[in-house]
Amino acid sequence: MYFIVVQLAAAIVLLLWAVRMVRTAVERAYSAQLKRALGHAEKSALSAASVGAVMAVALQSSTAVAALASGFASGGLLAGATGLSLVLGAYFGSAVVASILSFDLSLLMAPLIIIGGILFLRGNSRQTKQLGRMILGVAFVLLSLEMVSEATAPWRGSDLLQAAVGYLRGDPWTGFLVAAAITWLSYSSVASVLVIITFGAAGVIPLEIASALVLGANLGGTLIAFGMTRGGDVRARRIAIGAVVLRGGGAVIFLIALQFLLPALAQLPGNVGQQASLLHIGFNLAILIIGLPLAAPVTRLLNRLVKEAPSAESADIARFRQTALGSGHKGNVDVALASAMRELLRMSEMVEVMLQPAIEILRTDDKTAIRRVKALEPEVDQANSSIKLFLTQLDWNEMDDEQARRASDLSTYAVSLEQAADIIVRQLLRVADQLQERRLTFSEAGWGELIDLHARVMSNLQLALNVLVSEDVESARQLVSEKDAVGVMERKSMGDHFSRLRSGNPNSFETSELHLETVRSLRRVNSLLCGIAYSILSEHGELLNSRLARRSAAT
């Protein structure tokens, strides 16, 4: 019995790790594309649900999609109803993933391990390595499910199992709550459902217990997102609470009606595991169909019931932190540069907070968001002045070449961040004022271009900060490529804009100047953010005539 329990526990741990392995591989390789995809969710509730489903399939996790949606909602980039629709779509997408992985795909296990291992070990680029990691993760999911099936084989006729099954048949609520708790603790509804389906397929549990466990796993999946947003921005919490109301409430209602639905569920094709899989898909599809038209009214209700915490500005702990630019560090150059780096990261976070709501401000002229952005500008200016003064007071004669280069890079990037903040306040907010005063709005196609461009710049800001801290050459190359890609997006957006002008689109005529200024401003912000890459590439001989040097055949 001991070895059976250990093997089952090892199989479940491997399953949890494998699911996380796939998710992190996709996030590392395609995080920019995922964040840009969220920009298309605003078109309609159906498009939001479609984006959520596709992202959940790619990430093999509705929790990861909920986390991304919460981050965008916190920054004002995602409306509450849109975010709720996106999360409901993600739940359906994760149900599809769980059902696909529950099929007998054992013949694919060895080829996937070979292909994934070759890509990960021999790949030259980061994306190739992460693709290999993702394929290995899928193979390990299949391996773990086979281990679960083998570990449960000796239990199928045991008296202990029969006693547990007999109890749970008479008390489905216990199984429901246990499954919800396990899913919440494991942070993976996909893994929980896969284990339940495998138990059912192996004949360990009957359909009525498998159904209660699947419904409990659905409730637990919504509690994961709710737990992540506790203490966070109120807009993210409203989305999580809405998901608990719709999906969690649906699971409770379905469990109450389960005794009447079991005869119909028993008519579904396949074994108990396959029937539980179909129930999981059907339940989440029903919640999606019912929830989409309810997303807007539920969001309005939550807007009234879930209020933002009072005196948020006074609770901003960051305002009371002690500066890292203390005079006591100046005798040690490395410590002083590390202190300047800490202040620069804080400054970059302020710029990120200013840039994140820019598109929503253009759309809604949110006065609260505008006040927050304007209030941060003097803080960014002060941080820039403090960093430059601190660095100039260091003993540059005692620095080696690497330290001098690093100090120069930090000072230059501080100036770039300050200029980016100026562009946000003096140009993007001016565009928002003009749109409001003249009661104008961009065309639908124009909005789509601006949303895509803004999402790309936000993604590049994160990449630029990674480059700043790590000085990784490959990431720096990627950042320069992203800078060029934004330039291509700018030229394409302008070309498409002039095409709309020629076609006689009235919105394009009225907002022509403002559209072009917004595009140029976002491109200039992006260029300032990406500037850190050139120094690093130049230091490593990766630049040739202001262009990326070609990789040698050896790399």
Side-chain angles (χ1 to χ4, degrees):
M1 177 65 71
Y2 170 78
F3 293 104
I4 295 174
V5 172
V6 169
Q7 184 178 357
L8 179 60
I12 293 174
V13 169
L14 177 61
L15 176 60
L16 291 170
W17 179 74
V19 171
R20 182 181 184 276
M21 186 177 180
V22 174
R23 185 182 75 246
T24 55
V26 175
E27 288 175 342
R28 292 173 183 175
Y30 305 105
S31 61
Q33 292 88 333
L34 292 173
K35 290 177 180 177
R36 288 198 295 272
L38 282 176
H40 297 284
E42 286 283 0
K43 293 180 179 178
S44 67
L46 184 59
S47 64
S50 301
V51 169
V54 171
M55 291 179 68
V57 171
L59 292 166
Q60 294 193 11
S61 171
S62 59
T63 302
V65 178
L68 285 171
S70 297
F72 271 62
S74 299
L77 299 176
L78 203 62
T82 302
L84 184 54
S85 300
L86 185 138
V87 170
L88 293 178
Y91 290 143
F92 175 70
S94 69
V96 172
V97 167
S99 297
I100 293 174
L101 293 176
S102 67
F103 291 131
D104 185 7
L105 303 174
S106 56
L107 292 177
L108 298 177
M109 194 188 311
L112 288 176
I113 292 175
I114 294 172
I115 295 171
I118 291 174
L119 290 175
F120 185 78
L121 295 173
R122 306 293 297 175
N124 292 325
S125 68
R126 175 175 297 181
Q127 282 201 334
T128 302
K129 288 182 176 292
Q130 294 305 325
L131 177 61
R133 179 187 176 91
M134 180 175 64
I135 294 173
L136 282 173
V138 173
F140 292 153
V141 168
L142 300 179
L143 175 61
S144 65
L145 294 176
E146 188 171 298
M147 291 174 61
V148 169
S149 181
E150 291 175 356
T152 56
W155 288 9
R156 293 168 195 173
S158 69
D159 295 336
L160 179 62
L161 177 64
Q162 295 304 319
V165 167
Y167 175 78
L168 291 176
R169 269 184 166 146
D171 185 11
W173 286 99
T174 297
F176 176 80
L177 294 175
V178 168
I182 291 175
T183 302
W184 177 66
L185 291 171
S186 66
Y187 252 56
S188 176
S189 60
V190 170
S192 297
V193 171
L194 283 173
V195 172
I196 295 167
I197 292 173
T198 304
F199 280 3
V204 176
I205 53 177
L207 178 59
E208 54 265 44
I209 296 177
S211 300
L213 294 178
V214 165
L215 294 172
N218 278 275
L219 172 62
T222 62
L223 295 178
I224 295 172
F226 177 73
M228 288 190 305
T229 60
R230 280 186 60 195
D233 187 272
V234 68
R235 291 167 290 192
R237 282 190 284 121
R238 287 167 183 157
I239 292 175
I241 294 171
V244 172
V245 170
L246 292 175
R247 194 194 192 201
V252 171
I253 293 172
F254 202 97
L255 182 64
I256 294 173
L258 187 61
Q259 58 180 325
F260 306 106
L261 298 174
L262 272 176
L265 294 176
Q267 300 303 314
L268 293 173
N271 56 39
V272 171
Q274 292 166 335
Q275 291 170 336
S277 175
L278 292 174
L279 167 64
H280 186 45
I281 290 181
F283 170 75
N284 282 280
L285 179 60
I287 294 299
L288 178 62
I289 294 173
I290 296 171
L292 284 183
L294 292 177
V298 167
T299 300
R300 288 193 295 269
L301 177 62
L302 291 174
N303 288 342
R304 289 196 293 268
L305 297 178
V306 183
K307 299 295 184 179
E308 189 170 3
S311 62
E313 292 186 359
S314 62
D316 185 1
I317 299 175
R319 294 176 180 269
F320 302 102
R321 66 182 289 274
Q322 185 177 2
T323 178
L325 303 179
S327 58
H329 301 320
K330 294 179 181 177
N332 186 320
V333 174
D334 288 329
V335 173
L337 293 178
S339 299
M341 169 69 76
R342 284 178 56 195
E343 285 299 302
L344 191 58
L345 290 175
R346 186 178 75 92
M347 181 181 176
S348 65
E349 289 171 355
M350 289 190 287
V351 173
E352 180 182 15
V353 172
M354 295 173 68
L355 179 61
Q356 195 171 48
I359 286 295
E360 192 63 22
I361 287 173
L362 291 175
R363 186 195 300 272
T364 63
D365 194 45
D366 186 338
K367 299 301 184 184
T368 302
I370 291 174
R371 284 194 298 271
R372 289 172 180 165
V373 171
K374 289 183 175 180
L376 282 172
E377 186 195 13
E379 294 193 35
V380 172
D381 293 343
Q382 179 60 45
N384 175 43
S385 299
S386 299
I387 292 170
K388 289 191 298 183
L389 179 62
F390 179 80
L391 292 173
T392 56
Q393 291 176 345
L394 299 179
D395 189 351
W396 286 64
N397 294 326
E398 295 296 323
M399 295 184 189
D400 57 31
D401 292 341
E402 174 62 22
Q403 290 171 334
R405 180 194 65 81
R406 188 64 169 162
S408 178
D409 287 348
L410 295 177
S411 179
T412 301
Y413 200 60
V415 174
S416 296
L417 289 174
E418 191 270 337
Q419 292 175 349
D422 284 345
I423 293 171
I424 295 168
V425 172
R426 307 192 193 293
Q427 297 185 26
L428 291 178
L429 293 190
R430 189 184 69 82
V431 171
D433 288 339
Q434 291 290 314
L435 289 171
Q436 179 67 18
E437 289 177 7
R438 296 157 58 182
R439 300 186 180 279
L440 299 176
T441 182
F442 294 123
S443 66
E444 183 176 349
W447 269 122
E449 294 164 8
L450 295 177
I451 289 171
D452 287 345
L453 183 57
H454 178 263
R456 192 73 169 252
V457 176
M458 288 297 302
S459 176
N460 290 346
L461 171 58
Q462 296 297 322
L463 180 58
L465 297 182
N466 292 341
V467 171
L468 176 67
V469 174
S470 68
E471 295 191 293
D472 178 62
V473 175
E474 185 177 350
S475 297
R477 291 182 64 93
Q478 182 184 350
L479 185 58
V480 173
S481 298
E482 285 292 321
K483 177 178 178 290
D484 294 338
V486 167
V488 172
M489 291 180 70
E490 178 194 24
R491 293 190 291 273
K492 183 179 184 301
S493 178
M494 288 183 173
D496 293 344
H497 176 71
F498 290 129
S499 296
R500 291 192 294 271
L501 290 178
R502 289 193 296 271
S503 68
N505 188 316
N507 277 0
S508 297
F509 273 110
E510 295 172 340
T511 61
S512 177
E513 177 188 350
L514 300 177
H515 177 90
L516 295 177
E517 184 172 347
T518 303
V519 170
R520 284 194 297 266
S521 298
L522 289 173
R523 192 266 305 160
R524 288 179 59 200
V525 169
N526 184 77
S527 297
L528 291 166
L529 298 175
C530 295
I532 189 63
Y534 289 97
S535 174
I536 295 170
L537 293 173
S538 178
E539 182 71 15
H540 290 82
E542 293 280 324
L543 286 181
L544 188 62
N545 294 330
S546 300
R547 289 289 183 182
L548 280 173
R550 292 182 179 275
R551 283 182 181 269
S552 64
T555 57

